[in-house]
Amino acid sequence: MPVEVPKEKWPGSVRTITLGALPAEGGTRKRVVTVGGETAMPFMHFEGEIPYPPVVAIEIKDRKPDDWSPLLLETWRDVIDDPAQWAAAAEEAGADLIVLALSLTNRDGNPTTPEEAVASVKAVLAATGVPLIVFGPGQAEADNALLVAVSEATKGERLALGICEDKNYRTIVATAMANGHLVTARTPMDVNLAKQLNILISDMGLPLDRILMDPTTGALGYGIEYGFSVMERLRLAALQGDKMTQLPMIVTPGFEAWKAKESKVGEGVPKAWGDWLNRAINWETLTAMTLVESGADIVVLRHPESVRRVKAAIDELMAAKAFVS
Amino acid sequence: MAEHKVTFNHQAEPVVVKSGTLITEAARLAGIEINQPCGGQGRCGRCVVQVIDGKVRQRSALRLSAEDISLGYCLACQSIIEGDISVIVPEQEKIERRLVTDRTAVEVEPPLGYSPEYHQSLKRYFLSFAEPNYEDQTDDLSRLQKQLRVELGFKDVEIPLSLVRKIGSALREGNWQVTVYLNVNGSNESEPHVCMVDVLPFHCESDSPMWGAAIDIGTTTVTLWLVDLWTGVVHAQVSEYNAQIRRGEDVISRIIYADKEGGLQELQQLVVGTINQLIELACKRVKHYPVQPEDILKLTVAGNTTMMHLFLGIPPSYIRLAPFIPTFNQAPFLRAREIGLSANPHAIVDCLPGVASYVGADITAGVLSAGLDDTQKLTLFLDVGTNGEMVLGSKEWLVTCACSAGPAFEGAGVRDGMRATSGAIEEVWIHSETYEPSYRVIGGGKPRGICGSGLISLLAEMFMTGVIDKAGNLNTQLSTSRIREGEHGMEYVVAWGEETQHGKDIVITRVDIDNLLRAKAAIYAGFLVLAQSVGVPLEETEQVLIGGSFGKYLNIEKSIQIGLLPDLPWEKFNFLGNTAVKGAYFALLSQENRERIREIASKMTYIELSADNTFYEAFMSAMFLPHTDMSRFPSVLGAFQTANKLSVQT
Amino acid sequence: MALSGIQIYKLLPQTNCKECGFPTCLAFAMKLAAKQVELSACPYVSEESKAQLQESSAPPIRLITLKSDGYEIKAGNEVVMFRHEKTFYNKPGVFAKIKTSAAEADVKELAGRINDYRVNYVGIDLEVDGIAVEDDARNADKMQKTLSVIRSVSKKPVMLFSDNVASIEAGLSQLSGETPLIGCADSENWEKFAELAKQSKAALAVIADTLDGLAELSEKAKAKGVEDLVLVPKGKNLGHELILQSQIRRLALKANFRSLGYPTLAFCQTHAQIAQAIAKYAGFLVIDQFAEELVYPLLVLRQNIYTDPQKPIQVQPGLYEINNPQPTDPVLVTTNFSITYFSVANEVEGSGLPAYLLVADAEGMSVLTAWAAGKFDAERIAKAVKAANLDTRMSRKRLVLPGAVAVLSGEVEAELPGWEIRVGPREAVDIPKFYKQVLQVN
C-alpha cells in the first residue's frame, strides 16, 4: 500500500533578494548572490520550491581584532593585518560573500574615521569578486558616521549595511535607500521584535526586498534553542502569508560560537570538553547547521573548516530535490 | 549608637534619632506628614524634602536632577540620617478631591419587581409577647426564642451576647412589643442560617426604611451607596479616596507596607476610617429621613482581593508571592463591630467572594451587574483601574485574568501625568504638518499635567502624525523644536512653560511613552490570552463592556488607534461605570443575586498569566502601535496610511 | 485529532465540583487539552464522554523504552512538528558505536570511556546513553565476546546491529532481563528478526529507503506480534534523510498514520547529520566515532533543543563582562529575564563604558515582576554576588541596583557588608547617563 504523504501548500513565500551588483548593473562584482524565494520549510523539496541554496559568508575585520579566539588569529595569521588580503583568503576558502565588520578604533587606538572605513571597504571590494556586507562597530554614533560614508562611496554596489536595530535604524536605512544598498535588521531573539523592526524600516520607504533580517540566534549552549524556534516561527509566518516576515534570514553563528568559552578558552577547562581546536570548530559547525535546518539563508562563519563542512552539508540538502521529484 | 538632632521646618524643638534613621521616620516622630504614594520604596519621588543644613546619605536619587541634588533635595524615604540636619518639608501636595459626588452619581432604579419579603435576607418581624407573671416564669431569652420558633418557625436563631444584653430592656420599654431584625441566609429553605441583627422596643411602622449599604473598596477610591432595603431605593451615593493611598498607590506597595510592623493595622484602620466617613456623609445626604450610622443593618462589600484582606486585617503577604495564593476568597459573615465599622454594631457585613489573588470580589460583582453570566452574547468585560482585570465569556463559560497594566493611565509613572482633575490636559490634537499640538484642559484654565485620557489621545496623535514611529521612538528628523533631548532622553513638548500653571514645560518623554505602551500592551495581551485560552477569535466578541471609573473618560477611537481596545465597531462598546458597587448593591438587595455571585466566583476560570509564556508573546506583539499584527487593526491601518500617504507594499 | 479546551469542556459534567483538584471544569479541560492531567481525575465523566476523550488522547507516536540494569531510555510520545508549538519531550538517546572487529582490549577501553563520560553543563550532568554494537565481523562469537566485555565495564543499554541473525542471538544471550534494540530488519530478513524480537522482548529496528518500505515492514512485524518498533529511514543523502524524517513525523501526527507511528533512529557520521538528527525528529542517534570534543557539543545541543519553550526566555545567571571591565569598575545587577538582560546589556555595551553585569536567577522574570513575586530580593542578590566570587574579585566593591527596586537598598547593604550599594535608574536607557554622572564622578 503506497503511503500518501500529506503536503503543505503554503500561501506565502520568502522574498528573493540579490546582493551585489555586476558592472553592467552599476557595481563591480564578478558574481552576485541571490537568496530567498522559498515556498516551503527548509529543504522540503517535495512540497515547494527552494530555488536558492543558503549561502556562506566569512566574517573579516578591518584590522586585527582584539577579542577573537587565539585559534582564529592563528588560522588567519598571514592576512589578518590587511583586510584586502584577508578578504581574498576568505574568498579562496569558499566564501560566497564577505562580511566586513568595522572596528570602533583603528590600529593606533583612535576612533576609526569615515575615510579609513571607506578605504577598507574599497580595498576589500578590489580584492574580491563576491558581494559584500558591511557591519558598523555596533555603537549608534559610530555606525551612522562610518556607514553613511561607506554607503556614499560605494553607491550602486548593492552592499548590505548593518546593523539596523530598533533604537538606531533611520540613518542607515536612509543612506541605503539613497545609494542603492540593502540593510540588515537585527532584533534580539523574538518573533514580534523582528517583525516590528521590518515594519519600521519599510515604513521609511525602503522596499522589503532590500531588507535582510537577523533574528539573533545565540550559540550552542547559549540560547540557540530560542534562535532556532524564532527562526522556525518566522519562516512559518512568512509561508502563511505574513508579509513582514517574508525576508531572507542572515545569522551569525561564527560570531556567536566563537565568543563561547568553549571556543575561546583552551586551558583549565574540563577534560570532558576534549580537544580545543576540534571542539571550537564543532561548536561553530553544529551551531551553524542547526540554524541552516531552521531556515537560515545567509550563514556568517569565521573558520574555514566550518565553511567547508557547512557548504558540503548544504550541497547535500539541496541535492535531495532529485530524490523526491 | 550615635544620635542626631533633626530640625524640621525650622521648628524650635529638634527630634533626636539614632544614626541610620530615615528622614521619613524622623518626620513621623516630629509629627510631620510626608506622603509616600509608593509606600516608601523610593519609586515615586513624591517625598522630596530639602536638607538645608547637614548631610544625609542618599540610597537613591531617583527622579532628582543634578540641580535638585546640588540644592539639597533628596527623597525622604531613601535618605539616611548620619549627622545633625535641618530639613524643609515642602507643602505636601494635597490629595485632590476630584470626587465631587454629584458628578459620579448615577441613576439607579431598584430592580423590577423587588420585594423585600421575597428577595431580602434581612427580615423584619414584629413580635408581641404576653407579659410574664408569677406563673409564667420563663426568662426573656427563652420567651423570645419560643416566639421565634412558634410564630416564625426559626428553631435555631443565633443571638450574640450583646443582643441578649438588650433583650430585657427592649421588651419592657416596648411594652412587650418589639421589632426584631433577622438575617435569614441560605437557599436551603428547610434549614436556613438565621441570626439576629437587632432587637428594638415597639413595632416600627411596617413600611419604614431598613438601611443597608453597598460598598466597593477600590485601591484608589471607595464608593458607598446607602440603600433602603425595604424599597430598594438608593438614597445616597458617596465616594472618597481610599485613605490608604498615602501608604502606597498600588496593591503591591500596600502589601509591602502591610508587611512592615504595624502596617497592616494602620492600613485596616485607614480604610475603615474612609468607610466610616462615607457612612456619615451618606447618612447626612439622605433627604426626608433622619438616618444614623447605627441604623445600617447590613453592608455588602466588594473589592479586589488585596483590599478585602486589608479591610479585614488579614495579612495579604502571600498574594504577591508565587504561586499567588490568597488567604481567603470567601469570608464568613461578619458583624460590623468586629471590623470597627460605624454601623449598627451587629450589622451583617457580607464580603463578596473573589476568584483569585488578582481577580477579586469587585470583578465577580462586576460580572453580575454587567449580566455576563446571563447573556448568550460572547462578551468581553473589562475593569481598568490600577490593575486591569478582564473577563471573557457568556452564560456558558467565563474565563478571567488580571494583568498589571500599571497606573500609567491614571497619570502615575508618567513625568507630567496627573489624575483627571482641573488643570489636566484631557485631549490633544497634533497638526500633521507643523507637529504643533493643541489641547483641552479640564476646568478650562492653564494646564499643569496630563491625565489618562489625555495621554491616550496624545499617544494616538503622535503616532498618527508620525511624531513617533510604531515602536514609540520619537522621530528626530522632523523639523520641530518640540522634539528635543531632555533630561531623560528624547521628549516631545506638549505645552511650553509660558502656557502652564507652574511655568514649566509639560512634556512626554521616551520613557513615558514606553510606560504607556507597556500599559496598553498588557491590557490588549490580556484580551488575546483569554480569547486564545478558549480558542475563540477575539474579533468574534459581540460586546465589550467597560467598568471602572476610567472607562468614562475613554475615547474609543483613540483607544483603538493605539491598540488598547480591539478594533471592533464602536457600537459594540458600552460603558457601565462602577460595576463593582452596582453588583454589591444587587447582592445587598437579593439573595438570589448573592447566590449568583457565588456561582460566578465558583465557575469563573482564572488564567494565571505568569504560568507560561503565552502572555509574554501576546504582550510583545502588542508593544507596537497599534499592534505588530496589523491585520488585527484594519481601521487603524487604513487611517494611518491615509495620514502618512503610504501605500501597502505588496 | 486533539480537542481544544472548550471542546473537552463540553464533554465534562460542568458542575465545577473541584474534586479533580482544579477550581472549574473549564480549567480541568484546558489541562486535559494540554495533556498535563489524566482524565481519570474526574470522577463524574460519563462513559460516552470518556470514550470520545480517550480516543483523542492516544499518543500518535508509540513510546519505546530501552532498558538495562538501572537504566531506561525513552523515545516517542512526541506531539508536535515544531518545538515552539508545545515542546519536544523525550531527548533522543545517544549511542556510541563499538565494532565487533575491534580487539578485546580496545572494546574494553572504548566501552569504559563511553560509559564513564560525564560533562557538566549549567549544573546538569550530561552522559552518553548507551553503546551500539556493530557486527562488522559478521561473527556470532565475536558478538557474544564483545558484549560480555562491554557488560564487564558498562551497564548502560545497548543496541545490536547485524545482518546476521545468529550474531544478534548470540549477543542477546548476554543481555537477559534487558530490553535492547536489535536490527536492522529489512525486507529480506525481517521475519527472523521479528521472531527473535518477539522471543527476547527486544525492540526491533526496521530499515528501508522509502516510507512505503518502512510502513510495510512495521505492519508485518506488528502482525508477527512485535509492538516495540523503531524506524530507520535510510536516506540517499543528508537532505533525503531530512525529508523522510519529516514525512514520518508528519504522517504520524497529522494523518494519525499508525504504521509510521514509531520513533526513528539516525546513524550519524557527519556533524551535519548530528545537528539534523537532533533538530529534526530522530528518537535515537548512533554516532560513529566517540570523541569528547564532539560528544560535548552534541549533548549540549540535545539539551538545548529539548528544553521546554513554554518557560520564560531566560539568560544564564552569572557574571557578564562588558567592554573589558577592571576590578575597580561597577557591578550592575539585574534579573535573568532575557529582555531585561538584553536591554541593560545593550545600553552598557553601546555606551562603551566598562562594567560587570551580574545576572541574578529570578526565574526568568523582569525586575519588577520578580521583586513583586519575591524572586529578586536582597538575599538572592547577595547569593549571586557570592556565587560570582565578587568579594575577592573586585578591588572596589560597588553594586548598582535597578531603580525599580530602590526599596531593596537597605537590605542589600545589610547582606553585603563592605559593599557600596547604589541605586541606578529605573529605565535601561538612562544607564549611560547615570554611569557618566554618578559612577564616574566618584
Side-chain angles (χ1 to χ4, degrees), chain A residues 13 29 34 57 67 89 107 125 127 153 192 234 253 266 283 310 318:
Chain A
S13 61
R29 301 300 79 205
T34 301
D67 55 352
R107 265 181 216 95
L125 284 172
N192 286 298
L234 283 168
W283 216 263
V310 171
M318 291 303 289

Side-chain angles (χ1 to χ4, degrees), chain B residues 142-176:
Chain B
S142 303
R143 193 176 299 270
L144 179 61
Q145 282 169 329
K146 180 187 156 208
Q147 201 84 339
L148 292 171
R149 190 169 62 240
V150 172
E151 203 169 309
L152 305 174
F154 297 135
K155 271 183 280 180
D156 211 1
V157 178
E158 180 196 324
I159 306 174
L161 175 61
S162 48
L163 280 180
V164 176
R165 288 179 180 138
K166 277 180 80 175
I167 294 174
S169 60
L171 286 170
R172 287 165 185 86
E173 206 179 304
N175 261 330
W176 303 97

Side-chain angles (χ1 to χ4, degrees), chain A residues 55-75:
Chain A
V55 296
V56 174
I58 293 181
E59 179 186 356
I60 65 166
K61 302 279 292 181
D62 53 352
R63 65 174 175 84
K64 184 178 173 184
D66 302 323
D67 55 352
W68 280 29
S69 164
L71 296 174
L72 285 171
L73 299 183
E74 177 57 28
T75 304

Side-chain angles (χ1 to χ4, degrees), chain B residues 133 414 435 532 609:
Chain B
N133 52 40
V414 174
Y435 309 107
Q532 277 170 6
L609 298 180

Side-chain angles (χ1 to χ4, degrees), chain B residues 57 59 320 487 605 613 616, chain C residues 24 309 339 371-372 409 423 433:
Chain B
R57 183 156 60 91
R59 282 181 187 156
R320 83 177 173 106
E487 177 113 14
T605 299
N613 61 5
Y616 170 75
Chain C
T24 64
I339 299 295
W371 168 77
S409 56
V423 176
K433 206 181 66 189

Side-chain angles (χ1 to χ4, degrees), chain B residues 113-277:
Chain B
Y114 173 67
S115 135
E117 284 99 346
Y118 182 71
H119 294 109
Q120 184 52 249
S121 72
L122 186 76
K123 308 283 186 196
R124 174 163 58 196
Y125 298 105
F126 305 116
L127 300 180
S128 303
F129 299 84
E131 265 185 66
N133 52 40
Y134 290 106
E135 269 87 71
D136 181 0
Q137 287 275 320
T138 313
D139 61 272
D140 293 346
L141 178 58
S142 303
R143 193 176 299 270
L144 179 61
Q145 282 169 329
K146 180 187 156 208
Q147 201 84 339
L148 292 171
R149 190 169 62 240
V150 172
E151 203 169 309
L152 305 174
F154 297 135
K155 271 183 280 180
D156 211 1
V157 178
E158 180 196 324
I159 306 174
L161 175 61
S162 48
L163 280 180
V164 176
R165 288 179 180 138
K166 277 180 80 175
I167 294 174
S169 60
L171 286 170
R172 287 165 185 86
E173 206 179 304
N175 261 330
W176 303 97
Q177 296 206 327
V178 292
T179 303
V180 291
Y181 289 94
L182 301 179
N183 195 59
V184 182
N185 184 44
S187 49
N188 188 349
E189 297 274 328
S190 54
E191 281 297 336
H193 177 245
V194 185
C195 58
M196 187 173 285
V197 179
D198 208 357
V199 51
L200 297 167
F202 304 115
H203 293 174
C204 69
E205 281 181 44
S206 62
D207 60 350
S208 67
M210 305 197 298
W211 295 104
I215 301 170
D216 168 40
I217 308 176
T219 311
T220 309
T221 308
V222 182
T223 303
L224 181 144
W225 291 3
L226 188 59
V227 183
D228 173 6
L229 303 180
W230 189 252
T231 59
V233 172
V234 177
H235 283 265
Q237 300 182 13
V238 288
S239 18
E240 178 55 88
Y241 278 109
N242 185 336
Q244 293 173 342
I245 281 192
R246 69 180 86 124
R247 298 288 173 252
E249 285 192 340
D250 51 65
V251 290
I252 298 292
S253 308
R254 304 252 178 106
I255 295 173
I256 303 261
Y257 192 85
D259 282 342
K260 294 184 183 173
E261 202 180 320
L264 178 60
Q265 286 74 6
E266 186 188 348
L267 291 176
Q268 203 244 349
Q269 284 158 11
L270 284 171
V271 69
V272 168
T274 303
I275 295 173
N276 288 344
Q277 268 177 38

